[in-house]
Amino acid sequence: MSRTVQCVKLGQEAEGLAKPPFGLPPALAQRIFENVSKQAWQEWLTHQTRLINEYRLVLADASARKFLTEELEKFFFGGGDLATTHYVPPPPRPAGG
């Protein structure tokens, strides 16, 4: 049976993560587990991928991991402006084309 959380990103009750995310400081991982939905976590993973690609982050570098952790906290819990990306979604495809 899945669990639900009051998601801080979506502002509604939604299906929660199955377990705390790996690789984060334990307190932050637990906070995400308790307050972030699976859908919002997937949104973060997409945004994180853009950040890694656009900023050419090397995850073996401690400063890159620190940057991503700070961005993650801002993405879910506020506390400043998110780093910008230049991603522009493609235009919708015409029907039947």
Side-chain angles (χ1 to χ4, degrees), residues 37-84:
S37 67
K38 283 176 73 172
Q39 178 185 340
W41 183 251
Q42 287 304 312
E43 291 175 12
W44 161 252
L45 292 178
T46 300
H47 183 67
Q48 175 183 254
T49 300
R50 286 188 196 116
L51 292 172
I52 291 167
N53 291 336
E54 289 198 29
Y55 287 83
R56 298 180 181 196
L57 300 177
V58 176
L59 298 182
D61 184 358
S63 63
R65 292 190 309 273
K66 180 178 186 259
F67 170 76
L68 286 175
T69 300
E70 290 169 355
E71 290 300 303
L72 178 142
E73 290 188 74
K74 288 188 277 186
F75 187 83
F76 289 118
F77 306 112
D81 293 331
L82 287 171
T84 59

